[in-house]
Amino acid sequence: AQSVTQLDSQVPVFEEAPVELRCNYSSSVSVYLFWYVQYPNQGLQLLLKYLSGSTLVKGINGFEAEFNKSQTSFHLRKPSVHISDTAEYFCAVSDISSGSARQLTFGSGTQLTVLP
Amino acid sequence: EAGVVQSPRYKIIEKKQPVAFWCNPISGHNTLYWYRQNLGQGPELLIRYENEEAVDDSQLPKDRFSAERLKGVDSTLKIQPAELGDSAVYLCASSLRGGHGYTFGSGTRLTVV
């Protein structure tokens, strides 16, 4: 079984400032890692995913994340945020060994609020 | 291409009443998921379908919840009778078999009063 911990429930940041949203996971097996974004009253949209290869993953809207296996982390970063980045962000993992069963286990989310 | 379509977007019902949610996945996506998202939390899996077969329903409260996916395309999730604690957003998602990362629908926000 896996678990995901998002260390900050709320992150306020000023426009054009950098931001990091933290995610740590726990798993006894290798995992795939994902970040999703949820705008108000909408479903979840995939930002980026780490499956294998380079540990630095680039996603949509200028976001990137770095997989750190030794620290079991997958922190999300953006060098300069915009008002439109205000949303809830979810980190998720799935078990590589589960074959076709790509069940996602989600963290509890981080509300990013970009201030003018 | 059309995304995952869910209806209704919002539903308010009284406790003990039945309710149903509908999901139309992306064309060609074999795998369909129903998740429940409680306020302030991440989504939690209720049931997963591979085509028309429910292959993981271990977290579905079977005393009041049921689901079906006729012909391996559309799916319906039903609650009967609803309880106050069922108030949540119900999300449907689909993916190709073995796919990494799903496409989610916009969800149905259920309020039980």
Side-chain angles (χ1 to χ4, degrees), chain A residues 32 34 36 38 40-46 49 51 88 90 94 99-109, chain B residues 9-10 33 35 37 40-43 45 48 50 56 59 91 97-107 109:
Chain A
Y32 298 125
F34 306 83
Y36 282 84
Q38 187 175 34
N41 298 317
Q42 295 188 26
L44 282 76
Q45 179 183 5
L46 181 65
K49 58 187 175 185
L51 304 181
E88 187 91 19
F90 291 94
S94 70
S100 63
R102 308 293 186 192
Q103 176 182 338
L104 290 175
T105 299
F106 287 87
S108 56
Chain B
R9 286 297 310 276
Y10 306 93
Y33 309 80
Y35 277 79
Q37 185 178 18
Q41 297 181 25
L45 181 69
R48 176 173 63 92
E50 294 288 349
D56 183 359
Q59 299 177 69
L91 293 163
R97 186 187 303 275
H100 301 289
Y102 320 148
T103 301
F104 281 88
S106 299
R109 182 178 297 275

Side-chain angles (χ1 to χ4, degrees), chain A residues 5-46:
Chain A
T5 301
Q6 292 185 241
L7 298 163
D8 306 296
S9 60
Q10 298 195 37
V11 173
V13 63
F14 287 105
E15 193 173 18
E16 297 184 5
V19 70
E20 178 179 82
L21 306 184
R22 297 181 293 169
C23 172
N24 286 86
Y25 68 92
S26 174
S27 177
S28 58
V29 298
S30 296
V31 296
Y32 298 125
L33 295 151
F34 306 83
W35 274 99
Y36 282 84
V37 60
Q38 187 175 34
Y39 299 102
N41 298 317
Q42 295 188 26
L44 282 76
Q45 179 183 5
L46 181 65

